[in-house]
Amino acid sequence: MKKLLVTGGAGFIGANFVHYWMAKYSADKVVVLDALTYAGNIANLDSVKDDANFTFAHGNICDQALIETLLVEHGIDTLVHFAAESHVDRSITGPDAFIETNIIGTYSLLKAAKKVWLDGKSILAGHRFHHVSTDEVYGTLSPTDPAFTEDTAYAPNSPYSASKAASDHLVRAYHHTYGLQVTTSNCSNNYGPYHFPEKLTPLVMTNILHNKSLPIYGDGMQIRDWLYVEDHAYGIDLVLNKGRVGENYNIGGNNEWANINIVNKICQLMNQAFADNSGLAQRYPEALAAISGKAESLITYVKDRAGHDRRYAIDATKTRDELGYEPRESFETGIARTIDWYLNNQRWWASVMDGSYQECVHQQYDK
């Protein structure tokens, strides 16, 4: 039985990991630590909040004393670190938060883990610090370049990816210098349920439902490898249970798509959903373009963002060969599941977009 501390567990990927883990390993103890910033939503954990093996702690990963207390009081042996500022556009206009959370926050976690697991009277054998990173630390690829491997040199191009690269290096250093038992995974673009609507796929879905324009940066031919979030959780599961300490593992979806093709695919599926289900027009009367089967008419091209990487692609051969990882969802099946989830969870994404869930957060945690 493991006892996990999951940082950022009320965010998109973290919450999906918690759902996955608690469903598969029902005897394990899971403690979620989340600062509940704009992208953290306590409602993401409603389905597990009453489980006797689940505990929520409201706090910041920069608070080393709090981390130490949680590690000791709950007997934590496995720390899974999702907490991060992750939106590239926000990092361009406000990089300070990315430096604070992604670098200083990770450093605080490492210091706490070292103190509790290695510096006490007895070393906790079998502990694990798993750090969740991104393919963006590797930089950008041309259309013909081979995909990123774990040996690709780091070349981050945004304040976000630079801050994640720095955190990766700190994790590596704490293993090689102090013997902290770490693993790191670098993932491609995630999509799926509970995705905050500032990101591409949920933004397109919710804008269609509000009949708003679908903004496409530049020519829309930026290519990303798309990973269904549950496949990401599965990959981390394999790393935690089979991965070699001190190693990095790429987790990808084997799904390279250009942004404009992603948007057109979502438009096509939304058109089809409204054609197949007449009740959707009643539930979403603003979705005029989708109702008429022309969601793609909302596409609008806008000025490209500064330093926009052209292509990311993950080579997950090492993770497949060593751990048996293969994504279970194609993009077509995963995005269909995602659209179905958004169409059936209007209350969730509407409250996220208007900020009303934050009122509940403040009532519960800011008394």
Side-chain angles (χ1 to χ4, degrees), residues 16 132 163:
N16 276 283
V132 180
S163 67

Side-chain angles (χ1 to χ4, degrees), residues 205-211 270 274 284 286-287 342-343 349:
M205 295 173 203
T206 54
N207 275 16
I208 288 173
L209 295 176
H210 287 117
N211 215 51
M270 292 288 271
F274 275 82
Y284 298 103
E286 294 180 38
Y342 273 84
L343 289 174
W349 57 258

Side-chain angles (χ1 to χ4, degrees), residues 75-335:
I76 300 297
D77 53 46
T78 304
L79 193 159
V80 187
H81 177 30
F82 291 97
E85 295 284 348
S86 64
H87 191 42
V88 175
D89 286 1
R90 288 179 182 266
S91 82
I92 293 170
T93 58
D96 289 5
F98 291 74
I99 305 304
E100 180 71 17
T101 299
N102 299 353
I103 301 178
I104 303 303
T106 301
Y107 179 48
S108 298
L109 290 170
L110 289 165
K111 288 193 293 180
K114 175 180 176 291
K115 183 175 179 179
V116 173
W117 289 342
L118 298 179
D119 295 345
K121 294 181 180 179
S122 61
I123 295 175
L124 179 63
H127 67 263
R128 179 69 66 86
F129 186 111
H130 182 73
H131 177 57
V132 180
S133 190
T134 171
D135 58 0
E136 295 193 38
V137 299
Y138 298 125
T140 188
L141 296 169
S142 77
T144 58
D145 284 335
F148 300 129
T149 72
E150 291 82 357
D151 295 325
T152 300
Y154 277 27
N157 290 319
S158 71
Y160 160 60
S161 56
S163 67
K164 289 297 290 184
S167 66
D168 291 8
H169 293 319
L170 283 170
V171 172
R172 174 184 170 86
Y174 262 69
H175 170 65
H176 286 277
T177 302
Y178 303 112
L180 194 68
Q181 296 182 25
V182 309
T183 43
T184 295
S185 56
N186 296 80
C187 69
S188 51
N189 278 33
N190 281 222
Y191 67 98
Y194 301 106
H195 204 173
F196 193 82
E198 69 183 355
K199 300 297 180 70
L200 178 63
T201 54
L203 179 68
V204 170
M205 295 173 203
T206 54
N207 275 16
I208 288 173
L209 295 176
H210 287 117
N211 215 51
K212 293 182 178 180
S213 65
L214 309 178
I216 305 298
Y217 279 132
D219 62 4
M221 292 305 296
Q222 302 86 4
I223 295 172
R224 302 292 183 262
D225 175 31
W226 290 88
L227 174 65
Y228 188 63
V229 67
E230 191 173 286
D231 282 335
H232 187 187
Y234 168 59
I236 294 172
D237 178 5
L238 292 174
V239 174
L240 288 173
N241 285 297
K242 297 181 179 181
R244 290 180 290 141
V245 170
E247 291 293 314
N248 285 49
Y249 293 93
N250 282 349
I251 301 175
N254 297 337
N255 280 308
E256 286 190 59
W257 284 67
N259 285 349
I260 186 59
N261 294 335
I262 290 284
V263 175
N264 277 315
K265 185 65 177 179
I266 294 173
C267 288
Q268 172 194 335
L269 291 173
M270 292 288 271
N271 289 340
Q272 191 63 50
F274 275 82
D276 292 343
N277 184 351
S278 59
L280 288 177
Q282 296 177 339
R283 289 166 52 197
Y284 298 103
E286 294 180 38
L288 299 177
I291 291 169
S292 63
K294 298 179 180 178
E296 64 278 3
S297 67
L298 299 172
I299 292 173
T300 304
Y301 289 88
V302 299
K303 182 181 178 182
D304 207 355
R305 75 180 177 209
H308 201 173
D309 291 335
R310 194 63 174 171
R311 173 175 170 247
Y312 307 137
I314 281 284
D315 182 342
T317 299
K318 175 181 175 180
T319 313
R320 181 196 66 202
D321 291 350
E322 288 193 18
L323 310 182
Y325 169 77
E326 286 287 352
R328 297 165 174 176
E329 299 288 345
S330 67
F331 184 75
E332 290 87 346
T333 61
I335 200 65

